[in-house]
């Protein structure tokens, strides 16, 4: 089991990179803890609100001797926000999933190998567009990325779409089961 609390001290000091590292392991379990609310509320909005609250309150979260104190706190914040939203929308909520026992998932090394192999087999232009998009990590708009790789915006967008389609086809051929909406 991974204890994501290794990032807690740096997060408490306001380190956004530490929060990003924590979030990489915590997002999926927090998202899974909201599954039972999916028909009652906009779980994506609830998740975003909960993560913002976690960032704001993280300096006051103290380890309690068990692993993943911040993750457990985040799951509780997310579930409470979902319950509040359910009540606000006057939607009847049926199922309550326990928060305890939802752990961060380890990255699958075999999946990483499949992804890297599929990326290595991409044609030059789609590979360049996808690489630019991945390296930017959402911090640069597509027009600037297109310019960086010497493409027109429309060509860049088509190449990103083509790269994604080729990756899906390659991963599917390798037997990788996936969902376009995440875990």
């Amino acid at each position: 089991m991974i204890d994501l609390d290794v990032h807690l001290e740096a997060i408490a000091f306001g380190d956004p990179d530490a929060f990003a590292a924590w979030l990489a392991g915590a997002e999926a379990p927090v998202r899974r803890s909201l599954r039972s609310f999916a028909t009652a509320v906009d779980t994506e909005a609830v998740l975003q609100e909960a993560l913002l609250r976690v960032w704001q309150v993280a300096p006051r979260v103290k380890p309690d001797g068990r692993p993943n104190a911040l993750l457990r706190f985040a799951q509780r914040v997310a579930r409470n926000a979902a319950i509040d939203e359910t009540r606000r929308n006057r939607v009847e909520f049926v199922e309550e999933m326990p928060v305890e026992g939802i752990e961060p998932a380890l990255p699958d090394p075999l999946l990483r190998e499949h992804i890297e192999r599929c990326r290595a087999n991409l044609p030059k232009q789609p590979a360049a567009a996808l690489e630019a998009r991945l390296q930017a990590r959402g911090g640069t708009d597509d027009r600037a990325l297109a310019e960086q790789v010497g493409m027109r915006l429309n060509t860049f967008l088509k190449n990103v779409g083509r790269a994604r389609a080729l990756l899906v086809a390659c991963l599917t051929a390798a037997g990788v089961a996936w969902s376009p909406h995440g875990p």
Side-chain angles (χ1 to χ4, degrees):
M1 179 173 89
I2 302 171
D3 186 1
L4 297 173
D5 285 347
V6 298
H7 305 291
L8 187 55
E9 185 177 347
I11 293 169
F13 284 107
D15 182 346
D17 292 331
F19 188 73
W22 173 83
L23 187 56
E27 182 183 2
V30 175
R31 189 179 294 277
R32 279 193 303 270
S33 74
L34 294 173
R35 278 187 179 166
S36 61
F37 292 94
T39 59
V41 298
D42 179 354
T43 54
E44 188 62 32
V46 168
L47 175 69
Q48 295 302 316
E49 177 64 27
L51 294 174
L52 178 60
R53 290 179 191 175
V54 169
W55 170 250
Q56 293 169 334
V57 178
R60 296 192 308 250
V61 174
K62 303 294 179 213
D64 60 1
R66 296 185 308 158
N68 291 309
L70 188 59
L71 173 60
R72 287 182 280 115
F73 174 75
Q75 289 170 323
R76 180 55 55 202
V77 167
R79 293 183 57 75
N80 287 345
I83 290 168
D84 289 347
E85 188 67 20
T86 300
R87 289 179 183 148
R88 205 174 2 264
N89 294 339
R90 297 188 178 156
V91 176
E92 185 177 330
F93 177 67
V94 180
E95 180 184 341
E96 176 79 21
M97 284 180 53
V99 171
E100 300 299 323
I102 299 177
E103 302 295 335
L106 289 170
D108 182 347
L110 185 56
L111 175 60
R112 174 72 53 202
E113 288 175 26
H114 284 307
I115 292 169
E116 292 306 320
R117 187 176 64 250
C118 290
R119 280 185 65 193
N121 290 326
L122 287 173
K124 182 180 177 182
Q125 295 292 60
L130 180 65
E131 182 64 23
R133 175 77 72 78
L134 291 173
Q135 289 299 317
R137 296 180 173 218
T140 307
D141 70 16
D142 286 336
R143 189 171 306 282
L145 294 175
E147 191 174 303
Q148 286 176 8
V149 294
M151 295 179 195
R152 291 186 183 154
L153 177 60
N154 192 44
T155 304
F156 176 80
L157 295 173
K158 287 184 184 242
N159 275 304
V160 169
R162 186 169 175 224
R164 291 179 67 193
L166 289 168
L167 285 174
V168 167
C170 179
L171 291 170
T172 300
V176 175
W178 69 282
S179 167
H181 305 293

